[in-house]
Amino acid sequence: MADLIVNGGKPLAGTITPSGNKNSVLPVFCATLLTDEPVTLRNVPDITDLDKLVAFFRSQGSTIDWDRAGGLMRVDHSTFRDRLANHELPQDMRSTVLLYPALLRRLKKVRLGANAKGCSLGVREIDPHLEVLQALGATVREGDPLEIALPKGFRGARHWLDYMSVTVTENFAMAAAVATGTSMLVNAASEPHVQDLCGALVAMGAKITGLGTSRLEITGVKKLHGADITISTDYHEVVTFLALGAITGGEVRVKHSLPEHFDLITRSFAKLGVTVTHQGTTALVKAKQRLAVATPHTANLLPKIEAAPWPYFSVDLLPLMIALSTRADGTIHFWNKVYENGFSWMPELAKFGAHVVVSDPHRIVVFGNRPLRPAVVDSPYVIRAAVALVMVAASIPGRSVVRHAEIIRRANASGIKPPRSKRWTPGCSTSTRKTA
């Protein structure tokens, strides 16, 4: 276990070069298993989930050369063994599900034990993954372990998702890319990281149309080839550093900020009194902005920020807005339309003195700018919620402790500060301590 000690109360300021997108690199890395030709990945973030996948691939005979400092990875699966060394897939991370298409194509059969671990936002079922694999030609045998087989290879199919699941969409894209015939996915997820995976598959020879929309059409090819792929910037990290600047009153610039994804994000910041501007591909939050909830034109309407699957405001970013709202004058309503446990960490926020009313599992009301005090809080197993607690601690003069904060390393192995940041001037300080 690891605790983060935060000495807050001063502005955070500087210029940051963010890491590559965690949610892009994991499916793209899994997709490299669809070819025996070498693949080069650039702008690779140094994260713990990727460590686990690298260890798994190496245990199966793949060659992985990873320059962590340079963010460069060269992958060669031509020596990948035709049976699993430990009989079952690793089950300690959610990204395990993204191995299903490539492993089925190579091994023809995989066995699943306990449910994969991700984070504590809520139940993440495996059934939608099994449904798309079955639609594309796989068979499922119930039991412990559960067995998925692909006796005759993937075949093209049309499928309509119950809801816009990111990882289910990614699994469909990977399987359909090497299927016989044409496939269509309706109600597909369209998040930037889904677009990144589809773009990577296209670079490897896949035929995909509809990128960035809710309908993907994929014509399968017999074989994918090697490619040189650059992982896009992590827009979650871009927003995180802008929010850290805003909540502490510092001026923060974030390079490679993907402004094409920022329209709704910028408006959400504005609802809390924060102006985000873009100078080319650099995002900027100026110092000493007054945090205040914007008053809507409709009388008697409580201002709100609602989060749902893209192109809605990202659910993963909602905790950062909640943290900002605790420092803003006014009252605002937050609505998480996806996860039933998305607000389970509100009791920890209250330890700082924040006033939050939990209306139901999906909605809260924050009464902002109440007096806050340093506190010892327990981090939930949710990456951005843990970061949100650090944000609040950074805005409060004095020493706070965010306990069990190792979850942050799932998104960034160096913690809050990205490995390739430049000219970052911390007004507060953080340190890590190990606990038993």
Side-chain angles (χ1 to χ4, degrees):
M1 297 294 184
D3 296 345
L4 268 177
I5 302 169
V6 183
N7 296 294
K10 295 182 180 179
L12 289 164
T15 299
I16 296 292
T17 300
S19 305
N21 192 335
K22 161 190 177 286
N23 291 319
S24 296
V25 72
L26 294 173
V28 169
F29 189 40
C30 290
T32 64
L33 191 57
L34 292 168
T35 181
D36 278 334
E37 295 185 17
V39 176
T40 298
L41 302 180
R42 302 180 188 275
N43 198 33
V44 175
D46 187 359
I47 56 174
T48 54
D49 272 8
L50 198 54
D51 278 325
K52 296 172 185 178
L53 279 175
V54 167
F56 170 72
F57 283 147
R58 285 174 173 164
S59 74
Q60 288 295 125
S62 297
T63 300
I64 312 290
D65 294 322
W66 187 3
D67 175 4
R68 293 174 186 263
L72 180 68
M73 181 182 287
R74 292 185 172 88
V75 183
D76 187 342
H77 295 299
S78 59
T79 54
F80 189 90
R81 286 191 283 272
D82 61 1
R83 63 178 58 189
L84 293 179
N86 298 318
H87 305 292
E88 289 187 2
L89 296 176
Q91 295 297 319
D92 58 347
M93 58 183 176
R94 184 61 185 172
S95 54
T96 294
V97 300
L98 296 169
L99 292 168
Y100 296 172
L103 287 178
L104 283 171
R105 189 164 186 263
R106 284 178 176 270
L107 310 182
K108 306 302 180 186
K109 184 182 297 184
V110 295
R111 294 181 176 88
L112 311 181
N115 288 335
K117 183 178 182 181
C119 62
S120 58
L121 285 170
V123 176
R124 299 193 182 188
E125 56 184 334
I126 193 176
D127 295 68
H129 295 275
L130 300 181
E131 288 171 4
V132 298
L133 293 172
Q134 286 177 299
L136 293 167
T139 61
V140 177
R141 183 178 63 82
E142 298 292 340
D144 188 12
L146 182 144
E147 182 178 278
I148 312 173
L150 188 68
K152 298 180 180 180
F154 290 118
R155 60 173 184 268
R158 172 186 167 93
H159 190 73
W160 194 312
L161 291 181
D162 291 349
Y163 60 93
M164 292 178 172
S165 166
V166 167
T167 51
V168 176
T169 298
E170 291 167 341
N171 270 344
F172 184 94
M174 286 187 276
V178 291
T180 301
T182 299
S183 301
M184 178 184 292
L185 185 64
V186 182
N187 203 27
S190 60
E191 276 78 356
H193 31 285
V194 177
Q195 297 175 44
D196 287 349
L197 170 65
C198 290
L201 290 170
V202 170
M204 295 167 66
K207 299 178 179 179
I208 305 174
T209 60
L211 276 71
T213 75
S214 61
R215 188 173 78 171
L216 293 177
E217 294 187 36
I218 304 172
T219 301
V221 297
K222 289 184 179 180
K223 183 180 179 182
L224 294 178
H225 54 68
D228 192 314
I229 299 164
T230 299
I231 304 301
S232 70
T233 294
D234 189 343
Y235 68 99
H236 297 104
E237 194 171 290
V238 174
V239 176
T240 297
F241 282 97
L242 294 174
L244 273 165
I247 200 169
T248 62
E251 178 170 303
V252 172
R253 296 174 182 267
V254 187
K255 296 182 177 180
H256 312 309
S257 61
L258 304 173
E260 65 273 19
H261 294 318
F262 256 75
D263 299 61
L264 186 53
I265 293 171
T266 298
R267 294 208 306 275
S268 298
F269 268 115
K271 289 182 179 181
L272 297 169
V274 179
T275 298
V276 175
T277 58
H278 290 272
Q279 299 171 349
T281 60
T282 297
L284 168 66
V285 163
K286 291 187 176 180
K288 299 180 180 179
Q289 297 195 43
R290 178 177 173 268
L291 301 183
V293 176
T295 303
H297 294 292
T298 306
N300 302 319
L301 179 66
L302 190 64
K304 70 176 176 179
I305 296 177
E306 52 187 293
W310 194 272
Y312 265 81
F313 185 79
S314 171
V315 169
D316 291 338
L317 299 178
L318 202 60
L320 309 181
M321 299 297 113
I322 293 170
L324 277 173
S325 73
T326 65
R327 284 304 206 181
D329 290 320
T331 303
I332 188 167
H333 165 213
F334 292 95
W335 190 359
N336 184 331
K337 295 184 175 181
V338 178
Y339 297 122
E340 63 273 17
N341 289 332
F343 297 129
S344 61
W345 55 285
M346 292 302 103
E348 302 308 310
L349 197 59
K351 291 177 182 178
F352 289 116
H355 287 205
V356 182
V357 173
V358 179
S359 304
D360 59 42
H362 291 274
R363 294 179 296 175
I364 64 170
V365 176
V366 178
F367 299 87
N369 207 20
R370 298 303 196 265
L372 301 184
R373 57 186 177 272
V376 177
V377 298
D378 291 303
S379 169
Y381 200 73
V382 181
I383 295 169
R384 298 299 155 187
V387 172
L389 293 174
V390 173
M391 281 176 55
V392 175
S395 75
I396 303 170
R399 181 181 185 274
S400 295
V401 179
V402 181
R403 300 194 299 186
H404 316 309
E406 64 276 359
I407 178 64
I408 294 173
R409 294 185 180 274
R410 281 190 58 215
N412 192 313
S414 60
I416 296 295
K417 182 178 177 181
R420 291 183 293 281
S421 63
K422 297 178 181 178
R423 301 203 311 275
W424 179 250
T425 305
C428 70
S429 63
T430 61
S431 59
T432 304
R433 70 180 182 196
K434 294 289 185 181
T435 59

